[in-house]
Amino acid sequence: MGKNKKHSVTYFDMQFVTSSISTMLVLLLLGMVVFFILTANNLSVFVRENINFSLVLSDDIKETDARKLQENLNKEAFVKSSVYISKEDALKEHTQAMGTDPREFLGYNPFTASIEIKLNSLYANSDSLAKIENRLKANKQIAEIKYPQDLMDSVNKNIRKISIFLLLLAGLLTFISFALINNTIRLAIYSKRFLIHTMKLVGASWGFIRKPFLRKNIWIGITAGVLASAILLGGAYAGVQYEPQLIKIITPEVMIIVVSSVLLFGIIITFLCAYFSINKYLRMKAGTLYYI
């Protein structure tokens, strides 16, 4: 009797462990997809906001007027940040980069002052830039506007392709995840089908029979979600430690959403799968149990 009881407890524990591990692996896969979707969005914002939009100022503009123009530009919604580069600063940068001073053979400073603008990501597209360019050209203090349109078009095109691919992948993996977790839970409940029928015979209500199965599977979902979240957090932490600049892409907000999604999905899917699987066996008659 004692041996049978011990064997039953061990079986229950091993079933819980194996179900948790298999569910954890599926949740880990799903969590990685959510992670890549969110970080891809942050990466696109980071790339867009680091493409320079350069305003070459008139040669006769005074520095006070240039500074005033910069202040006014900083108030615009399309400007994330700006840097004023004076004629002297431009000359200094060129001299350091090329190793020669143009004044030695030209006799004057050939560079003009400019304002380097980093755009807000929402405005880093061809349509918005065309409107911004037309508006800025009306300002006589601005002699020329420069920005890498081909690069920006290429970035936006690739971002759209990656976003569509990730969304399709997320949908596919969500379906696969549901199917895998559902099969794992159904197999576990299948082994208890005769116990469920016995409880029905002694007059137990469906709610009473379902309760321990639902509680167990919810804990499987929580355990699997915590383990998957721990692995994802560990991977993200290792990545940021290796390359600190990744903190701009792998933000705390991203990881909070990823962990919350994994835990929530783990709890909901294990509950639903257990609920429908138990109901299936509760509806079956005794004779049917032997032929499934």
Side-chain angles (χ1 to χ4, degrees):
M1 184 90 178
K3 288 183 179 179
N4 290 336
K5 184 177 180 181
K6 183 177 180 182
H7 176 75
S8 177
V9 172
T10 304
Y11 174 77
F12 173 82
D13 290 343
M14 285 305 299
Q15 190 181 73
F16 183 91
V17 171
T18 54
S19 296
S20 295
I21 291 173
S22 59
T23 303
M24 180 268 290
L25 293 173
V26 177
L27 291 178
L28 181 61
L29 184 64
L30 192 67
M32 289 174 66
V33 174
V34 176
F35 173 81
F36 284 125
I37 288 173
L38 295 174
T39 52
N41 180 63
N42 283 350
L43 179 60
S44 71
V45 171
F46 178 79
V47 171
R48 287 171 177 174
E49 292 184 345
N50 279 276
I51 297 176
N52 284 339
F53 187 87
S54 182
L55 305 180
V56 180
L57 304 182
S58 300
D59 194 47
D60 58 350
I61 190 173
K62 296 179 181 178
E63 185 169 345
T64 53
D65 293 333
R67 296 285 187 183
K68 183 65 177 178
L69 176 62
Q70 182 188 13
E71 289 178 13
N72 292 332
L73 286 170
N74 286 337
K75 296 175 184 177
E76 297 288 347
F78 62 84
V79 176
K80 182 177 185 291
S81 63
S82 66
V83 176
Y84 170 68
I85 302 175
S86 66
K87 295 177 65 172
E88 290 72 22
D89 290 336
L91 176 65
K92 186 177 179 180
E93 287 181 10
H94 177 85
T95 302
Q96 289 177 344
M98 303 301 294
T100 58
D101 189 341
R103 291 177 301 183
E104 293 177 0
F105 52 89
L106 292 176
Y108 65 94
N109 182 355
F111 297 100
T112 56
S114 64
I115 298 175
E116 298 291 329
I117 292 175
K118 291 189 184 299
L119 298 168
N120 280 319
S121 59
L122 294 175
Y123 296 89
N125 57 74
S126 298
D127 294 338
S128 297
L129 284 173
K131 294 177 182 177
I132 294 168
E133 185 177 9
N134 290 333
R135 180 179 168 187
L136 293 175
K137 279 181 177 178
N139 191 326
K140 294 181 180 180
Q141 294 177 317
I142 300 172
E144 189 180 355
I145 299 172
K146 296 179 180 179
Y147 62 91
Q149 185 171 354
D150 292 341
L151 174 61
M152 196 164 291
D153 290 341
S154 177
V155 167
N156 287 321
K157 185 178 179 181
N158 289 330
I159 286 170
R160 281 193 295 271
K161 288 181 179 178
I162 292 169
S163 298
I164 292 170
F165 173 76
L166 287 175
L167 286 174
L168 291 174
L169 182 62
L172 177 63
L173 288 180
T174 300
F175 175 77
I176 294 172
S177 300
F178 185 89
L180 290 174
I181 294 175
N182 184 47
N183 287 337
T184 300
I185 292 173
R186 284 181 64 185
L187 285 172
I189 295 175
Y190 171 81
S191 65
K192 301 289 185 180
R193 66 192 186 282
F194 291 109
L195 175 61
I196 292 171
H197 182 67
T198 302
M199 294 174 74
K200 280 172 59 182
L201 291 177
V202 298
S205 66
W206 283 25
F208 181 83
I209 296 171
R210 275 195 298 255
K211 189 175 180 180
F213 289 98
L214 293 177
R215 185 189 299 117
K216 175 187 174 182
N217 281 283
I218 287 173
W219 275 109
I220 288 174
I222 293 172
T223 304
V226 169
L227 291 173
S229 297
I231 293 172
L232 290 168
L233 286 171
Y237 177 79
V240 171
Q241 289 296 308
Y242 179 78
E243 179 52 66
Q245 286 294 323
L246 286 176
I247 194 64
K248 296 179 181 179
I249 299 169
I250 308 174
T251 62
E253 291 79 11
V254 164
M255 296 315 300
I256 289 171
I257 295 173
V258 170
V259 169
S260 301
S261 300
V262 168
L263 286 172
L264 188 62
F265 187 82
I267 293 170
I268 290 174
I269 197 171
T270 50
F271 174 84
L272 290 176
C273 292
Y275 183 86
F276 290 120
S277 295
I278 295 165
N279 282 353
K280 174 184 175 181
Y281 295 112
L282 286 173
R283 294 191 193 97
M284 285 185 179
K285 294 181 180 179
T288 312
L289 296 174
Y290 292 94
Y291 299 100
I292 58 171

